[in-house]
Amino acid sequence: MYGVCGCCGALRPRYKRLVDNIFPEDPEDGLVKTNMEKLTFYALSAPEKLDRIGAYLSERLIRDVGRHRYGYVCIAMEALDQLLMACHCQSINLFVESFLKMVAKLLESEKPNLQILGTNSFVKFANIEEDTPSYHRSYDFFVSRFSEMCHSSHDDLEIKTKIRMSGIKGLQGVVRKTVNDELQANIWDPQHMDKIVPSLLFNLQHVEEAESRSPSPLQAPEKEKESPAELAERCLRELLGRAAFGNIKNAIKPVLIHLDNHSLWEPKVFAIRCFKIIMYSIQPQHSHLVIQQLLGHLDANSRSAATVRAGIVEVLSEAAVIAATGSVGPTVLEMFNTLLRQLRLSIDYALTGSYDGAVSLGTKIIKEHEERMFQEAVIKTVGSFASTLPTYQRSEVILFIMSKVPRPSLHQAVDTGRTGENRNRLTQIMLLKSLLQVSTGFQCNNMMSALPSNFLDRLLSTALMEDAEIRLFVLEILISFIDRHGNRHKFSTISTLSDISVLKLKVDKCSRQDTVFMKKHSQQLYRHIYLSCKEETNVQKHYEALYGLLALISIELANEEVVVDLIRLVLAVQDVAQVNEENLPVYNRCALYALGAAYLNLISQLTTVPAFCQHIHEVIETRKKEAPYMLPEDVFVERPRLSQNLDGVVIELLFRQSKISEVLGGSGYNLDRLCLPYIPQLTDEDRLSKRRSIGETISLQVEVESRNSPEKEERVPAEEITYETLKKAIVDSVAVEEQERERRRQVVEKFQKAPFEEIAAHCGARASLLQSKLNQIFEITIRPPPSPSGTITAAYGQPQNHSIPVYEMKFPDLCVY
């Protein structure tokens, strides 16, 4: 029967006749529009026939493709597109299956034109919102085929570009069709993302631009891009913009793998561009997920080349700055912890020369300069990310970094590597560099919050170390914290200006919180400044930092009491240079003289006491004429002009404490405090600053004068106290403490568990013992003195003192008043 119908056109089903009528005799004439309108009306009137119409069109298209009748293929696809646009009935799902079958047939063709035709039809279909859901439709083939088209390597450049753009458009269509439909196959599964994302990145990395373009979506033009790279970027933005919280990981992981496989971390330009696109495209509340992915990838590549790790850190820096403007969530300390851990690993790699801690055959040798470059990248990232954080989070980061700095200790183990450098020293330097980056630009109105006691104690204990570089970092960190008005750069050069108004200093009144801070920590700060001035290894940068620190304390935290103490401190520093008990070099002594002159010149003009200013000015003028080597203009230059003999400095060249006390005391300052010379309070930290090594024996000769024979100048032999003696004393004291603790435990246990009668008997025995001891004491105390008349003999031949009442005793005349 079907064969008869096929031969006789009048007996064929109507939908077939309507489909046949849309095809002209000559394919160049195109679709017959009137007949197409009839077919569309029929499909709308009888929607149950729509699936048969689609099946018949599919049959004709497959036949035409096989016969290379590409004109009729185009007409069939145009008809399918119009039917899809017009029909939204419940039966469209069966029609769509036929449509997708025809699109797949075109995409399988080797003809570029047919591939492009099928892609365009699929894109039109993707833009249609279906009224009825589909439960069994699959797009796996289309994802694979479009991804393959994105990597086209056709010989003709123009055709290659068209195929790649079609592939990108096809992937964009798949995303639009499936990303928001929960009933479709999950496009966010790794099996799909591992194809879509690398295909887009492959086209994105082949862009050739004369200048970099901002990846902000606000600057993207509305018109369609002509370049595959621009189209891929737009598709990637759309994909990431639709990503939900649980899908971010699957979307970011292929990006990291692609950058690894194509070695794109080392130039790092493309990697940074990719993650800028990602960070600007995803929702702000998802930013911390991207940061976590990057941190995990950095840990996974901890044994990769330093250039690769440096590239990841640079990308992390850019991404973190963008994320901080939105929400970084709980990843703040996690990020810093990872970076500091990588910093420590890099130091170990640089010292040992390998990733395994030992150099052997087949071990990859590490280039130390590359590790240094990676360490600088980590420090830069720490600073750039911290600068975007709010004050409270920044304070937490500062405390966190400080807790990682190895504490200086007399018994600190010295770990040396291939270069013979101290591992702890390098770690301290790198972490202090990071801390300096974080503290730069830090603004906090309350110094008690900015410099809490535990933080300040650890920081200042580090300032007592022998290493000059570490001490300089500590001074710069303190300056960063104290400078809240941007005055630090105005004190970068030490000078004796006759008028400091040219500096345009921003001076604010000392707040109550600052006053409390200085009352609590001022002596601690002064002590460390004083001890830092006495270091032999100081260079010009150290004195510039000390001058800046003194100046900023005077501007930011000073009241009358602080000003007085600072003046006393600087005069004590002048005494250090004059007396020279530390045997400092000539340059250091001249530098201390110059430092004192510069600071007293500054503080005299800040206090605006005329007599004080006059005295300082007179001394400076005298030095200019007779001793220019005691002024900063001759000392802190490239070639210092120094004096070979600083002994016997005349008093006219010195700032006199008596004179300063007199002029300031007359202006209301505390005269008694001004007259007292500054003496630093030595603490355990200062004793630690002696910095003796572990193997060095500390020999102390202790001589004790004998008090038993005051008429003889006898001395006990000197006792030599060594490290072993001290160690034994500590061990013995620990043993005594353990015994005492055990005795107390036994007593408590006895009173808790022993019967009442036993406890009462024990207490009664102790009471009777106490009473007997008291009786003895009373007897000795109350017994009258012996009689001056002599003694009498008692029984058993024992002589016995004869006691008489006190009022009957006869005293010498000298005792009578």
Side-chain angles (χ1 to χ4, degrees):
M1 178 177 178
Y2 291 105
V4 175
C5 295
C7 296
C8 302
L11 298 177
R12 302 178 67 196
R14 185 182 179 187
Y15 71 89
K16 288 188 176 183
R17 294 199 308 271
L18 292 173
V19 170
D20 291 336
N21 291 338
I22 65 174
F23 293 93
E25 294 181 1
D26 186 359
E28 294 183 359
D29 293 341
L31 183 67
V32 180
K33 294 183 179 181
T34 56
N35 292 336
M36 186 63 211
E37 292 176 356
K38 294 179 182 179
L39 178 61
T40 303
F41 180 77
Y42 177 76
L44 292 173
S45 302
E48 67 277 2
K49 301 293 185 180
L50 190 59
D51 58 331
R52 298 186 182 183
I53 294 173
Y56 184 61
L57 275 171
S58 176
E59 180 184 343
R60 286 204 55 154
L61 183 138
I62 294 173
R63 184 175 66 233
D64 292 335
V65 169
R67 296 177 180 179
H68 304 287
R69 298 163 61 178
Y70 300 125
Y72 288 118
V73 171
C74 294
I75 293 174
M77 292 306 301
E78 185 179 355
L80 283 169
D81 293 342
Q82 292 190 21
L83 287 174
L84 277 174
M85 298 295 294
C87 302
H88 295 279
C89 60
Q90 295 181 354
S91 302
I92 197 174
N93 281 331
L94 298 177
F95 177 73
V96 169
E97 295 299 327
S98 301
F99 168 78
L100 294 178
K101 184 178 180 181
M102 287 183 281
V103 172
K105 185 66 177 178
L106 294 179
L107 294 176
E108 289 174 351
S109 174
E110 297 180 356
K111 298 292 181 180
N113 291 337
L114 294 184
Q115 296 175 13
I116 295 172
L117 178 64
T119 302
N120 292 337
S121 295
F122 183 84
V123 171
K124 292 177 183 178
F125 162 71
N127 292 328
I128 298 175
E129 295 184 5
E130 300 182 46
D131 296 336
T132 56
S134 174
Y135 297 93
H136 58 281
R137 195 180 301 164
S138 174
Y139 295 95
D140 294 356
F141 168 78
F142 297 99
V143 171
S144 301
R145 183 55 185 156
F146 289 139
S147 300
E148 184 180 350
M149 292 171 64
C150 289
H151 293 81
S152 174
S153 57
H154 199 278
D155 296 334
D156 191 330
L157 179 61
E158 184 178 357
I159 295 177
K160 180 177 68 175
T161 301
K162 289 182 178 180
I163 293 176
R164 287 187 178 183
M165 291 190 67
S166 296
I168 297 171
K169 291 178 181 178
L171 291 177
Q172 190 177 28
V174 173
V175 172
R176 289 178 179 177
K177 198 66 181 174
T178 60
V179 72
N180 291 326
D181 191 350
E182 297 180 357
L183 299 176
Q184 301 290 350
N186 191 358
I187 199 66
W188 300 106
D189 287 343
Q191 59 179 346
H192 300 311
M193 286 289 106
D194 291 345
K195 298 175 183 177
I196 295 175
V197 174
S199 301
L200 298 177
L201 295 178
F202 176 78
N203 287 273
L204 190 61
Q205 75 185 75
H206 286 85
V207 62
E208 295 180 0
E209 296 177 331
E211 57 183 3
S212 60
R213 180 172 57 86
S214 173
S216 174
L218 299 177
Q219 299 180 1
E222 293 294 333
K223 64 179 181 179
E224 183 179 354
K225 302 292 187 294
E226 298 296 332
S227 148
E230 294 173 337
L231 186 60
E233 179 180 337
R234 187 170 55 146
C235 182
L236 182 61
R237 290 185 185 281
E238 183 177 348
L239 174 68
L240 295 169
R242 295 172 180 266
F245 182 86
N247 302 325
I248 293 293
K249 182 178 179 180
N250 292 339
I252 301 301
K253 187 176 180 180
V255 178
L256 301 173
I257 295 175
H258 181 83
L259 297 175
D260 287 341
N261 294 338
H262 293 268
S263 302
L264 296 174
W265 292 111
E266 297 182 28
K268 72 190 175 187
V269 177
F270 177 73
I272 290 176
R273 182 169 178 240
C274 283
F275 273 90
K276 281 188 175 181
I277 292 173
I278 292 172
M279 299 305 294
Y280 281 121
S281 300
I282 62 175
Q283 300 178 27
Q285 61 268 28
H286 299 162
S287 300
H288 67 281
L289 297 177
V290 180
I291 302 299
Q292 286 178 341
Q293 287 286 97
L294 281 169
L295 292 174
H297 197 67
L298 179 59
D299 281 337
N301 286 271
S302 59
R303 293 180 180 270
S304 300
T307 52
V308 174
R309 286 179 280 131
I312 298 176
V313 169
E314 290 282 351
V315 172
L316 184 61
S317 174
E318 297 289 341
V321 170
I322 299 173
T325 59
S327 172
V328 288
T331 60
V332 176
L333 292 182
E334 177 187 352
M335 176 178 176
F336 285 100
N337 189 33
T338 301
L339 291 175
L340 297 183
R341 182 170 62 250
Q342 292 296 324
L343 197 60
R344 286 176 175 270
L345 288 176
S346 178
I347 293 172
D348 291 339
Y349 295 159
L351 290 175
T352 59
S354 69
Y355 297 117
D356 301 324
V359 181
S360 59
L361 293 178
T363 302
K364 184 178 179 181
I365 303 301
I366 294 174
K367 297 180 180 179
E368 188 173 349
H369 72 277
E370 292 182 353
E371 292 296 335
R372 298 286 185 186
M373 181 181 64
F374 169 72
Q375 293 163 13
E376 294 298 329
V378 172
I379 293 171
K380 178 184 175 183
T381 301
V382 168
S384 60
F385 180 44
S387 62
T388 62
L389 297 176
T391 302
Y392 72 94
Q393 280 188 330
R394 206 164 174 182
S395 300
E396 292 178 358
V397 170
I398 289 171
L399 294 176
F400 179 76
I401 296 177
M402 195 65 216
S403 67
K404 298 293 183 180
V405 178
R407 303 193 71 169
S409 172
L410 185 65
H411 307 292
Q412 178 173 299
V414 179
D415 299 327
T416 56
R418 183 182 60 186
T419 58
E421 293 183 90
N422 188 347
R423 176 180 281 104
N424 290 330
R425 174 186 174 275
L426 289 177
T427 304
Q428 287 167 345
I429 289 176
M430 291 303 168
L431 292 179
L432 289 175
K433 278 186 177 181
S434 304
L435 191 59
L436 179 60
Q437 288 284 336
V438 176
S439 62
T440 301
F442 181 69
Q443 298 290 335
C444 185
N445 296 327
N446 188 354
M447 290 303 297
M448 295 293 291
S449 301
L451 294 172
S453 298
N454 55 347
F455 172 79
L456 189 61
D457 291 342
R458 295 199 60 167
L459 183 64
L460 294 180
S461 64
T462 310
L464 296 175
M465 298 188 66
E466 187 176 18
D467 193 280
E469 188 177 3
I470 292 178
R471 294 201 312 272
L472 182 59
F473 281 130
V474 173
L475 292 173
E476 291 178 347
I477 290 169
L478 286 172
I479 290 173
S480 298
F481 279 110
I482 296 176
D483 181 29
R484 293 174 294 184
H485 294 86
N487 290 317
R488 63 177 299 179
H489 67 279
K490 301 173 184 177
F491 302 111
S492 57
T493 302
I494 307 178
S495 61
T496 54
L497 293 175
S498 58
D499 185 8
I500 64 171
S501 61
V502 297
L503 297 177
K504 298 181 180 179
L505 299 174
K506 298 178 182 178
V507 183
D508 199 2
K509 185 178 179 181
C510 182
S511 65
R512 181 178 176 273
Q513 292 87 349
D514 294 342
T515 303
V516 173
F517 172 80
M518 290 304 292
K519 284 185 177 180
K520 186 175 182 181
H521 299 293
S522 59
Q523 296 302 320
Q524 193 177 8
L525 286 171
Y526 303 153
R527 181 174 65 250
H528 284 79
I529 293 174
Y530 178 80
L531 295 175
S532 296
C533 290
K534 297 169 65 175
E535 293 291 341
E536 294 183 12
T537 54
N538 286 343
V539 295
Q540 180 175 341
K541 289 185 177 180
H542 291 84
Y543 295 112
E544 290 174 349
L546 287 167
Y547 173 68
L549 182 58
L550 288 168
L552 289 172
I553 292 176
S554 305
I555 293 175
E556 298 283 351
L557 306 173
N559 50 28
E560 290 188 1
E561 182 178 347
V562 172
V563 170
V564 169
D565 288 340
L566 288 173
I567 294 174
R568 293 171 56 224
L569 171 63
V570 173
L571 292 176
V573 171
Q574 178 183 256
D575 293 340
V576 170
Q578 182 183 8
V579 178
N580 196 25
E581 292 180 351
E582 305 291 333
N583 294 323
L584 295 175
V586 174
Y587 173 79
N588 296 60
R589 297 177 66 185
C590 292
L592 292 180
Y593 281 127
L595 174 65
Y599 176 73
L600 290 175
N601 176 68
L602 173 68
I603 197 66
S604 64
Q605 297 184 53
L606 289 176
T607 55
T608 64
V609 178
F612 184 31
C613 296
Q614 182 180 358
H615 171 66
I616 302 300
H617 179 72
E618 290 176 354
V619 175
I620 291 176
E621 290 299 323
T622 305
R623 288 187 179 184
K624 285 181 180 179
K625 296 176 182 179
E626 302 179 11
Y629 50 84
M630 300 175 70
L631 293 175
E633 286 77 10
D634 279 27
V635 177
F636 301 117
V637 290
E638 185 176 356
R639 295 182 178 179
R641 294 182 288 274
L642 308 177
S643 173
Q644 297 302 323
N645 184 16
L646 289 177
D647 297 330
V649 177
V650 297
I651 194 170
E652 287 78 11
L653 299 178
L654 300 177
F655 300 100
R656 300 190 299 277
Q657 186 164 5
S658 59
K659 181 65 175 178
I660 295 176
S661 302
E662 178 184 349
V663 296
L664 289 181
S667 299
Y669 288 86
N670 190 338
L671 181 60
D672 295 335
R673 195 174 185 88
L674 279 167
C675 294
L676 292 175
Y678 173 76
I679 300 175
Q681 300 174 359
L682 294 180
T683 62
D684 293 337
E685 293 177 347
D686 304 320
R687 298 186 185 96
L688 187 62
S689 67
K690 301 303 179 183
R691 295 179 295 269
R692 299 180 185 268
S693 62
I694 301 174
E696 183 180 0
T697 304
I698 306 172
S699 180
L700 302 176
Q701 301 299 328
V702 181
E703 297 183 356
V704 182
E705 293 186 358
S706 175
R707 298 184 180 180
N708 296 330
S709 303
E711 64 277 0
K712 295 182 180 181
E713 294 289 330
E714 296 183 358
R715 295 184 179 272
V716 179
E719 179 185 359
E720 184 177 2
I721 302 177
T722 63
Y723 172 76
E724 294 296 332
T725 308
L726 294 175
K727 181 178 178 182
K728 183 178 179 180
I730 294 174
V731 172
D732 293 343
S733 64
V734 172
V736 171
E737 291 179 359
E738 290 292 336
Q739 294 176 0
E740 180 66 19
R741 192 179 297 110
E742 178 65 20
R743 189 188 66 79
R744 291 179 180 179
R745 188 190 63 79
Q746 293 176 358
V747 171
V748 172
E749 184 178 359
K750 179 178 181 180
F751 275 88
Q752 288 178 345
K753 299 180 179 180
F756 175 76
E757 293 78 6
E758 181 179 347
I759 296 174
H762 176 73
C763 293
R766 294 190 60 182
S768 60
L769 179 61
L770 176 62
Q771 186 62 42
S772 64
K773 294 293 182 183
L774 289 175
N775 292 336
Q776 293 178 10
I777 294 172
F778 292 152
E779 183 179 355
I780 296 173
T781 305
I782 301 173
R783 177 186 299 166
S787 173
S789 60
T791 60
I792 60 173
T793 303
Y796 312 105
Q798 296 289 338
Q800 183 178 7
N801 291 329
H802 178 67
S803 298
I804 59 178
V806 176
Y807 56 86
E808 294 182 0
M809 291 178 60
K810 296 181 179 179
F811 294 94
D813 296 337
L814 295 176
C815 296
V816 180
Y817 291 93

